[in-house]
Amino acid sequence: MMRKAVALIVCFSLALSIGAQVKGPIVDKILLSTRTQQDIALKDVATGRSDLFNYQADGAAYKALPDDVKSRLEAYDNTGSNYVSLYLNPYPNKAPYQGVVDGKTQFNPFAIREVRFAINFIFSRKQICDEIMVGAGVPLYTPVTPGQPNSARFGLAASMFGFTATGNEKKAIADITAAMQKAAELPENKGRLVKGAQWWTFDGQPVTLKFLIRVDDPTLRLPEGRYIADQIEKAGIKVERLEWDRTRCRQLWDKSDPAELGWHIYTEGWGGGQTNAFWEVPIAQMTSPWSGSMPGGNKSGFWSYQNDELDSLTQDCVNGRVKSVDEYYQKLLKANELGLREAVRIWVAAQTVYFCANKDRFIGRFVTGSGDGIDRFTWLTADVKPEKDGQKILRQTAFSARGALFMSSWDPIGNMGMSDAYSQAVISAVSDPEVVANPVTGIPFGMRATWKDLRTDIAIGTDITGKIAIPKDAVLWNARTGKWESGIVYVDVKGDGSVYDYVPMTSRPDYGKAWSTGTFTFKGGNWHNGMPITQADYRYALSRPYELCIRRGADDKVYDESYASSINPNLPRFRGYVFNKDGSITVYGNVNYPMDQPSLAQLLCPSLMIQASNYGSFIPWQIHEAMKLLVSEGNASKTAYALN
């Protein structure tokens, strides 16, 4: 893990990244503080000690405030920017549903898909919304949060499966019992898996689920976890309630091998990320193994959840490998349904939350996203009254329960790097994407990039064939030779996702033709250290993923298996770059996005962010090279580092 040394490097790089903004936000400076109680943070905002509570105050905390405090707050309410789900460990996800831990065989009921799916019915989402969320929430059944653009069609799957707000406890218990009885008839379990007077037992001991319940979320995830644990036990499966803080919980659900069966279920909490008009990325992230955010995370040496059909469907949608709008929705809706049926994640409820500002400190209201609440547009549009010296300083407060403040590594490349809310409060404010989703409509628009000559020209038969000739001066980075080269393409060699590599463009007639193309021009400016942002920065960012995804021998310390599993499926999208003398970049790619032209541009557009599954960090290439050397060359402390 990149920890101490990388944290220092990345903190330095954040200062550099501030200068990447061309015009910058209205405010001159942002000061960030933390409080460990929501009510105290809100009162600080009301009294003027802070300007903004950069955290989603839940209904219980906001509604409990005295009227005189509320009267001094400007509340931005939002439903869907925050939601809770259950994360299940399905190891080994096949019969006879056993694992061996410390020489002892254990039975995992969540290895049975029917048992996982039945959890959808065993609790009442309405009860959680009404009693735990004190009415400030709505039931959630899919990874598509309610109230956002283009979200309604995905909720139909919940109706198809018979999900209801109140659940169906009787059905859940019957379905779990039937699935367990069927498992008990397997030769490996016969006489060992038995239904007792109270509990199912295996080898004479109660079948037990270890439930990670976030004790540092006392108004939501703690009572939610306790209630759901009680409901599961009604089906005769014992629950060991591990009421721990986020740091201790993460050591199991994210940092341990699922095969160790150190956990079975976890109370997840999520932020919406952005406003979405198209949902392939959230559905892929929340359901598909290739995304790196499913159990095991494709980490080397870990057992990882696998589902080839989900991978294929979501990769096609994410990378624009579709023939038409109809095919896009057919594949994405099928992926959504399959993810629900697999039930490795179970969605519980979307919160109604309140982002609160001091009513007297702002000159007008600022922008918030319908899908994520406070976001990068807040920092750009927040207009506070000036200080005596004329400076505009935004004082914002974050909420941090007890425990370590930052949960994820300060890693700008790793799949889960900079993914927690606290890291995001810093990195998103100082990183400007080239293309970003509109906070209201979800449709992408150019923030640091503009484009021209954007077009798609394809022939549709059994497969899609590109008709745009890739010119001889179009190049890709060859990680094997360390050079930009023409005449090569990067492809899924076997067509099954097992091997990605370079092949000559002449090896197949269609390799010399692209589906789409566009020319992108970028707003420049300087990094904070005065170094200009140039085409060279983009060249580096475009080349780096190949360095991480290609193994150059058994002792290659730069190659990262987990990163490669998430990123390799995306790289064949790009077929060549022409680095024009005016600083623009012409891109040729195999991508078709008939739903929306700006989204096509977003799929093709080069970015200063190293392509990854993380949450968007923009850092100079010199910092990336320093981190690369920490991993590949070592350091004086002899600490071993790797990607997140």
Side-chain angles (χ1 to χ4, degrees):
M1 302 299 298
M2 292 184 176
R3 290 197 178 99
K4 295 180 181 178
V6 173
L8 295 174
I9 291 172
V10 176
C11 285
F12 175 63
S13 73
L14 289 175
L16 300 181
S17 298
I18 295 172
Q21 299 174 8
V22 178
K23 293 184 179 179
I26 297 172
V27 298
D28 300 298
K29 186 184 296 184
I30 298 176
L31 301 179
L32 180 64
S33 62
T34 60
R35 296 291 183 272
T36 58
Q37 291 182 225
Q38 290 188 42
D39 57 339
I40 291 177
L42 289 166
K43 289 175 182 177
D44 282 351
V45 173
T47 58
R49 294 183 65 186
S50 178
D51 302 325
L52 173 66
F53 187 27
N54 178 21
Y55 187 81
Q56 60 283 354
D58 58 37
Y62 180 74
K63 292 179 180 182
L65 292 173
D67 289 340
D68 66 313
V69 174
K70 288 183 187 176
S71 68
R72 287 175 281 172
L73 297 174
E74 187 80 26
Y76 297 70
D77 64 292
N78 184 292
T79 300
S81 64
N82 291 80
Y83 58 95
V84 288
S85 58
L86 299 173
Y87 188 44
L88 278 56
N89 179 358
Y91 174 81
N93 203 32
K94 62 181 180 180
Y97 318 116
Q98 299 175 3
V100 179
V101 180
D102 295 329
K104 184 178 180 181
T105 302
Q106 297 185 18
F107 181 86
N108 180 12
F110 283 162
I112 307 172
R113 187 179 69 175
E114 291 78 8
V115 173
R116 299 196 302 267
F117 185 75
I119 300 300
N120 277 289
F121 299 91
I122 207 164
F123 65 94
S124 169
R125 292 169 171 86
K126 185 177 187 299
Q127 182 173 330
I128 290 172
C129 292
D130 291 349
E131 298 181 10
I132 297 175
M133 293 182 172
V134 295
V138 296
L140 185 65
Y141 308 102
T142 79
V144 178
T145 48
Q148 289 204 55
N150 198 26
S151 61
R153 71 180 78 208
F154 296 94
L156 297 175
S159 300
M160 179 186 74
F161 287 125
F163 298 162
T164 63
T166 55
N168 189 330
E169 180 183 307
K170 184 177 180 180
K171 170 181 168 55
I173 293 173
D175 289 349
I176 291 172
T177 300
M180 293 288 283
Q181 287 174 340
K182 186 176 179 180
E185 293 301 315
L186 294 171
E188 298 89 342
N189 295 328
K190 202 167 186 64
R192 304 176 72 187
L193 181 62
V194 178
K195 180 64 170 73
Q198 181 179 8
W199 307 115
W200 280 95
T201 64
F202 185 79
D203 289 344
Q205 297 298 316
V207 173
T208 303
L209 297 174
K210 297 177 181 178
F211 196 164
L212 300 173
I213 301 174
R214 284 283 293 275
V215 69
D216 53 339
D217 190 356
T219 61
L220 176 52
R221 283 189 271 180
L222 179 59
E224 172 210 4
R226 288 173 173 174
Y227 161 61
I228 292 174
D230 290 343
Q231 291 299 108
I232 291 173
E233 288 193 332
K234 292 180 180 180
I237 298 173
K238 191 175 182 179
V239 178
E240 182 180 354
R241 296 156 177 80
L242 304 177
E243 297 180 357
W244 296 344
D245 67 23
R246 61 174 181 254
T247 305
R248 193 174 179 188
C249 286
R250 190 183 181 99
Q251 290 304 312
L252 283 178
W253 69 260
D254 184 44
K255 306 299 183 184
S256 70
D257 186 344
E260 296 172 359
L261 294 175
W263 67 280
H264 296 87
I265 182 171
Y266 170 59
T267 52
E268 286 186 315
W270 292 91
Q274 66 174 33
T275 304
N276 293 289
F278 304 100
W279 289 91
E280 66 272 9
V281 172
I283 289 174
Q285 180 189 13
M286 294 296 173
T287 65
S288 62
W290 75 277
S291 70
S293 58
M294 300 299 284
N298 301 316
K299 297 181 177 72
S300 179
F302 281 14
W303 176 89
S304 292
Y305 167 74
Q306 298 296 323
N307 190 301
D308 292 342
E309 186 177 9
L310 265 170
D311 280 348
S312 177
L313 291 167
T314 54
Q315 285 172 13
D316 283 352
C317 293
V318 166
N319 289 292
R321 295 196 293 262
V322 294
K323 298 176 182 178
S324 64
V325 174
D326 286 345
E327 185 182 67
Y328 167 83
Y329 281 112
Q330 287 170 4
K331 289 186 173 184
L332 194 56
L333 289 168
K334 186 176 181 181
N336 183 49
E337 293 171 10
L338 183 56
L340 296 183
R341 192 181 298 278
E342 284 290 293
V344 178
R345 274 196 174 88
I346 293 173
W347 287 269
V348 176
Q351 290 179 273
T352 297
V353 296
Y354 302 84
F355 298 94
C356 295
N358 183 285
K359 188 176 289 185
D360 296 329
R361 276 285 292 152
F362 289 85
I363 304 171
R365 286 173 67 89
F366 46 74
V367 172
T368 59
S370 62
D372 55 1
I374 286 180
D375 59 15
R376 68 179 73 256
F377 294 102
T378 302
W379 318 135
L380 294 172
T381 60
D383 190 2
V384 295
K385 294 177 181 178
E387 308 292 309
K388 291 181 180 180
D389 61 0
Q391 272 203 343
K392 292 195 172 188
I393 299 176
L394 174 63
R395 295 173 175 84
Q396 62 167 322
T397 299
F399 169 70
S400 172
R402 298 185 184 278
L405 182 60
F406 299 102
M407 291 190 297
S408 58
S409 299
W410 281 72
D411 179 352
I413 298 178
N415 294 341
M416 293 298 288
M418 299 182 179
S419 60
D420 64 86
Y422 311 99
S423 302
Q424 278 295 291
V426 178
I427 194 65
S428 64
V430 297
S431 296
D432 290 342
E434 287 75 14
V435 184
V436 66
N438 183 293
V440 177
T441 67
I443 299 295
F445 70 92
M447 188 172 186
R448 292 184 51 83
T450 57
W451 51 84
K452 64 179 182 179
D453 301 329
L454 184 68
R455 63 190 178 97
T456 298
D457 193 0
I458 57 177
I460 298 176
T462 304
D463 297 313
I464 305 173
T465 303
K467 299 171 68 176
I468 301 172
I470 301 174
K472 291 182 178 180
D473 57 346
V475 294
L476 283 180
W477 180 256
N478 189 334
R480 296 198 179 281
T481 64
K483 298 177 182 178
W484 289 99
E485 295 182 3
S486 61
I488 58 172
V489 290
Y490 190 79
V491 297
D492 179 354
V493 176
K494 296 183 178 180
D496 61 1
S498 62
V499 179
Y500 291 84
D501 212 335
Y502 303 96
V503 298
M505 191 175 286
T506 55
S507 59
R508 266 178 43 176
D510 60 312
Y511 284 166
K513 301 287 183 68
W515 302 2
S516 298
T517 185
T519 296
F520 297 85
T521 301
F522 309 96
K523 296 177 182 178
N526 295 332
W527 298 104
H528 194 64
N529 63 353
M531 294 292 291
I533 299 171
T534 69
Q535 193 184 83
D537 292 286
Y538 284 93
R539 284 177 175 253
Y540 181 86
L542 293 173
S543 68
R544 190 79 171 96
Y546 298 100
E547 296 284 336
L548 292 159
C549 288
I550 285 286
R551 187 193 293 271
R552 295 164 294 273
D555 60 345
D556 185 356
K557 295 181 180 180
V558 175
Y559 168 80
D560 187 270
E561 182 178 6
S562 178
Y563 178 92
S565 69
S566 297
I567 302 305
N568 259 329
N570 300 333
L571 291 180
R573 178 197 315 167
F574 305 103
R575 291 303 171 100
Y577 302 96
V578 177
F579 297 106
N580 302 308
K581 292 182 179 179
D582 63 358
S584 65
I585 302 174
T586 301
V587 183
Y588 294 86
N590 277 15
V591 54
N592 180 38
Y593 207 88
M595 291 69 67
D596 178 60
Q597 280 291 95
S599 295
L600 172 66
Q602 187 175 42
L603 283 170
L604 288 174
C605 185
S607 177
L608 290 172
M609 185 190 81
I610 306 297
Q611 186 181 14
S613 300
N614 65 11
Y615 288 73
S617 55
F618 295 77
I619 291 170
W621 67 265
Q622 296 94 334
I623 304 298
H624 280 290
E625 278 295 291
M627 289 189 290
K628 174 183 172 182
L629 291 173
L630 278 176
V631 174
S632 62
E633 303 297 331
N635 52 86
S637 69
K638 307 298 183 184
T639 304
Y641 294 104
L643 287 178
N644 184 37

